[in-house]
Amino acid sequence: MIVQGYSFFSDMPDDLRYRTRPSTGAAFIEKDMVFVLPARLKDFRRHLHYVAEVPGSDSALYKPLFRATCIVDTYPAPPGFDGPRTIYPFYARVARNKRHYRDYYMLFLFRHQPEMAKFQMLNSAAGVV
């Protein structure tokens, strides 16, 4: 996957979880989701982004949309949210904006090589490759 404007990126680790609100009929998934990061990744909360495929692109080119709402797993659960649940590559439902459906993907984005190296070191120490 290639993300516009970012040279380094990594898929989410396997132990990342999320919490959701009971179905409220909200049009956008991100309004009802909070991602729960393992404590070792607390410094990377600002790097978790929603990305979407660039329209009209024949290649796997994605653009970052906005930062995801995240908490660390040692924090108390936010009120009104169920879970935690396992992260899967695709959401259970897609967001809809008027007549257009959007597929959102999540991944960690890194602006600098040292941040990427630190993330990989933390994941390898925890047994997540």
Side-chain angles (χ1 to χ4, degrees):
M1 183 185 301
I2 301 166
V3 180
Q4 285 182 338
Y6 292 88
S7 299
F8 306 102
F9 63 91
S10 175
D11 291 330
M12 293 184 299
D14 292 336
D15 56 351
L16 188 64
R17 303 288 180 253
Y18 70 96
R19 292 184 176 272
T20 57
R21 289 185 189 166
S23 183
T24 58
F28 295 102
I29 299 168
E30 64 273 11
K31 303 242 186 259
D32 289 330
M33 294 181 81
V34 171
F35 288 85
V36 183
L37 275 68
R40 73 179 191 281
L41 299 177
K42 65 180 170 43
D43 295 339
F44 293 94
R45 282 176 285 183
R46 69 183 185 277
H47 297 299
L48 191 61
H49 283 71
Y50 288 89
V51 297
E53 194 168 3
V54 174
S57 173
D58 292 335
S59 64
L61 183 63
Y62 291 78
K63 61 182 175 182
L65 298 175
F66 43 83
R67 194 178 298 170
T69 305
C70 302
I71 61 170
V72 177
D73 61 3
T74 55
Y75 293 5
F81 283 83
D82 297 334
R85 295 186 172 92
T86 305
I87 295 291
Y88 294 102
F90 301 97
Y91 290 122
R93 59 189 171 92
V94 295
R96 186 173 180 207
N97 181 5
K98 297 185 180 174
R99 293 181 303 208
H100 305 285
Y101 287 92
R102 298 173 183 228
D103 287 325
Y104 289 143
Y105 300 86
M106 297 291 308
L107 78 163
F108 282 92
L109 301 172
F110 300 97
R111 293 185 187 277
H112 306 290
Q113 181 70 31
E115 291 175 334
M116 177 69 172
K118 181 180 173 188
F119 176 79
Q120 288 176 328
M121 179 198 65
L122 287 169
N123 276 336
S124 63
V128 178
V129 178

